[in-house]
Amino acid sequence: MAAMQTSAATLGETAVASFARRRRLALAVPAVILLYLVYVFFAFDIPGIAAKARTDNVGILLSDFWTYKTHVTRDNRTGTVSVAIEGENKGTYPPGRLPEWVAMQDGVTRIDLGKGYKVAYEGDGASFTVPDYGTIRVEPDGRRIRLELPSETVPDWINASPARVTVTTPEGRFSMTASRTETFRYEAGWELFFFTLDSPFSGKSFSELVHLAVSGQRLDPSRPNIVGMVSDFWNNQMWRHGDVAWALFETVLMAFLGTMGAAMVALPLAFLAASNFTPARPLRFALRRFFDFVRGVDGLIWTIILSRAFGPGPLTGSLAILMTDTGSFGKMFSEALENVDSKQIEGVQSTGASPIQQARFGVMPQITPVLLSQVLYYLESNTRSATVIGAIVGGGIGLLLTQAIITQKDWEEVSYYIILIVLMVMAMDSLSGWLRGLLIGRTART
C-alpha cells in the first residue's frame, strides 16, 4: 500500500513537472517570436522604408493598370494641335476625326474632361475651369509662364514654377511649358486593344462588327471582312498581339527544351550514380558531387554565365534551365533507382535478358511514374522561371514585361503581360495535371 502511494506521488510530481515545462515552453515561444519581429523591425529599417514610401505613386500605378490616357497636345511654336492615345504616333487621331469630348472651332480647342472640368486652348494661352474654384488662366511670356488664379492662395493641386505650370484634378491633368501645352484625360479600359485608329473596323460596335463579319459588304475588296479583322487585330501596332503570342511561345519553348533536355541527360547519369547499379564508389561520388554542383548554382547565375558565353537569346535560357534541372533530376532519379525492387530485375534476368533489357523491362516500369511526375512538375515550375530568365537573356514574355516596366509609360501593357503570364502558368498547370493523370495512371495499370 505504501509502495502504491509512493508511486502515485511520483507520478503526480512527474505530471506537475511536465505541465510546468509545457507552460514555460508556451510562454517562451511567443516571447521568442516577439523578439524576432522586433529585430526584423529595426534590422530592415521599417520606419525608414515607411518614411520614403510614396503612396501617391502607388495609387497612380494601380490606376494605370486599368486606365489609359488621351493626350491633347498643342505645339506652342506652331499652334498645331494633335490628339493621341497614350501620346503615341500609332494612337494619333487622323484629321477630321476627334473624340467627342474634344472640339476645334475658329482656332479654339475646347476639351470637356467631365463633371464641369473644362480646358480651352485660345491664342497662345489656355484656361482651365475647375468647379467650385473658378477659371485658371495660363499664358507663355517669353521663356516664362504667367499664371492667373481666381484667388491669391495657390492650392496644393497646382504646381507652378517660372518654367512650368501643372494642374492635377480627379478628372484630368493640364500642363504648360514654353514649348508645349498638354491636357491628359484618363478613361477606364484598354483603348485600341482590338483595332488601331487607322483600321476600318475601329470605333464600330460589337453588333456592327458581327454584321460585317457575317454578311456585310467588304470594306476591302481584296479580302473578306473576317480576315481583315483577324489581320488588323494580330498586327495591332499598339498592343502587338502577334509579337506577344510569339513571346509566350518562346517562354514555353524555353521551359520545355530545358526540362526535357535535363531529363534526357540525367537519366543515364542516374544509373551510374545509383549504388545498386554502379559498384564503383569513386564514380558514384564524382557524379553525386556533380549533381550537387550544377543544382547548387541558381538558374539565374547560370543564365548570366551562359549569356556571356553564348550571347543572349532563348537558347541560352533553355541551357540555364537544363543545367540546374540536370542536378535535380540526377539526384531524384538515382534515389528512385536505389529503391527499386530487385526481385523484378532478377525475374527478367532469369530469362537470359541482357543488362539493357533488364533495365528496360525490370527497372523502367518501376520508376516511370516517379520520373514522369517529377518531369511534369518541373516543366510547370520552369514555365514561371522562364519568364524571369527571359528578362535577362532577352527572350520570351519576360523581355516584353521588363521593357514595359522600365519605360514606366504604358502600365496597362504591364497588366496585360502579367495576366497573360498568369493564364499561361494556369494552362501549364492544368496540362501538367492532365498528363500526369493520363500517363502515370496508364503506367500504373500496365
Side-chain angles (χ1 to χ4, degrees):
M1 188 70 178
M4 293 178 60
Q5 292 177 350
T6 303
S7 177
T10 303
L11 290 175
E13 292 175 357
T14 304
V16 171
S18 177
F19 175 76
R21 285 196 299 269
R22 289 197 299 270
R23 185 177 181 182
R24 287 196 298 269
L25 182 62
L27 294 175
V29 170
V32 171
I33 295 175
L34 179 61
L35 289 174
Y36 176 73
L37 293 177
V38 170
Y39 166 76
V40 169
F41 184 81
F42 290 102
F44 289 92
D45 191 22
I46 302 300
I49 294 175
K52 291 183 289 186
R54 298 184 59 182
T55 56
D56 54 339
N57 277 354
V58 174
I60 292 173
L61 291 179
L62 289 177
S63 65
D64 284 350
F65 277 136
W66 54 274
T67 62
Y68 69 94
K69 60 181 178 294
T70 304
H71 300 229
V72 183
T73 306
R74 181 185 67 187
D75 188 331
N76 291 340
R77 298 185 179 91
T78 63
T80 304
V81 178
S82 63
V83 182
I85 294 174
E86 295 296 345
E88 296 189 24
N89 291 331
K90 296 172 288 188
T92 302
Y93 280 84
R97 181 181 174 185
L98 292 172
E100 59 183 9
W101 46 273
V102 177
M104 296 182 185
Q105 188 176 8
D106 300 330
V108 179
T109 302
R110 302 187 186 279
I111 305 166
D112 187 356
L113 297 178
K115 296 184 179 180
Y117 293 85
K118 297 182 180 180
V119 178
Y121 298 166
E122 303 175 273
D124 294 334
S127 61
F128 192 166
T129 301
V130 179
D132 300 327
Y133 180 73
T135 300
I136 304 167
R137 302 188 183 278
V138 188
E139 292 185 2
D141 185 8
R143 295 185 177 181
R144 299 172 64 88
I145 303 296
R146 187 170 66 250
L147 174 66
E148 296 181 7
L149 299 175
S151 64
E152 295 182 358
T153 60
V154 180
D156 57 2
W157 42 271
I158 296 179
N159 188 0
S161 69
R164 175 189 293 269
V165 172
T166 302
V167 182
T168 304
T169 68
E171 301 303 316
R173 186 159 59 92
F174 167 87
S175 72
M176 176 183 282
T177 63
S179 60
R180 172 181 295 187
T181 303
E182 198 161 22
T183 302
F184 307 111
R185 171 169 169 157
Y186 291 86
E187 298 179 82
W190 291 349
E191 187 65 4
L192 308 183
F193 182 79
F194 295 100
F195 308 111
T196 52
L197 294 170
D198 58 353
S199 170
F201 306 103
S202 174
K204 299 188 180 299
S205 65
F206 179 75
S207 59
E208 291 174 329
L209 292 174
V210 171
H211 175 71
L212 288 172
V214 176
S215 60
Q217 182 179 2
R218 289 190 177 185
L219 300 183
D220 184 351
S222 63
R223 61 184 184 180
N225 288 334
I226 186 66
V227 175
M229 291 178 189
V230 173
S231 176
D232 288 358
F233 173 80
W234 189 257
N235 299 305
N236 187 315
Q237 294 299 308
M238 288 284 289
W239 291 90
R240 302 182 299 166
H241 299 301
D243 295 338
V244 172
W246 177 254
L248 287 172
F249 173 75
E250 276 190 343
T251 301
V252 176
L253 186 62
M254 274 194 290
F256 180 82
L257 292 178
T259 306
M260 296 305 168
M264 289 188 290
V265 172
L267 183 58
L269 295 179
F271 277 90
L272 299 177
S275 58
N276 52 341
F277 289 94
T278 302
R281 296 188 62 180
L283 178 58
R284 297 202 311 268
F285 179 83
L287 282 173
R288 289 181 179 274
R289 298 298 76 77
F290 170 74
F291 293 152
D292 292 341
F293 171 71
V294 292
R295 81 170 186 274
V297 179
D298 190 77
L300 294 180
I301 305 300
W302 282 122
T303 302
I304 297 171
I305 295 173
L306 293 172
S307 63
R308 292 292 300 272
F310 300 101
L315 179 60
T316 303
S318 300
L319 291 175
I321 294 174
L322 186 149
M323 293 289 291
T324 304
D325 285 1
T326 296
S328 300
F329 286 154
K331 176 179 173 57
M332 289 185 294
F333 292 175
S334 62
E335 291 177 351
L337 288 169
E338 290 178 343
N339 291 319
V340 296
D341 186 2
S342 60
K343 293 181 180 179
Q344 294 189 29
I345 304 174
E346 292 172 357
V348 175
Q349 186 179 11
S350 65
T351 64
S354 65
I356 295 179
Q357 291 173 329
Q358 295 173 30
R360 165 65 181 86
F361 297 102
V363 178
M364 293 306 298
Q366 298 187 58
I367 66 171
T368 296
V370 177
L371 267 60
L372 288 176
S373 179
Q374 293 295 338
V375 169
L376 290 173
Y377 172 77
Y378 270 74
L379 175 61
E380 170 201 334
S381 177
N382 287 334
T383 304
R384 297 188 296 269
S385 301
T387 302
V388 181
I389 291 175
I392 299 175
V393 299
I397 194 68
L399 175 63
L400 298 182
L401 178 62
T402 304
Q403 290 175 341
I405 292 175
I406 290 175
T407 58
Q408 295 189 6
K409 180 182 178 184
D410 301 328
W411 280 91
E412 65 275 11
E413 290 187 12
V414 175
S415 60
Y416 175 43
Y417 299 149
I418 291 175
I419 290 173
L420 288 178
I421 291 170
V422 172
L423 292 176
M424 177 184 65
V425 171
M426 291 171 63
M428 290 300 297
D429 178 40
S430 301
L431 177 62
S432 174
W434 178 75
L435 287 175
R436 259 197 306 269
L438 182 66
L439 298 176
I440 297 173
R442 179 183 300 168
T443 302
R445 287 193 297 271
T446 58

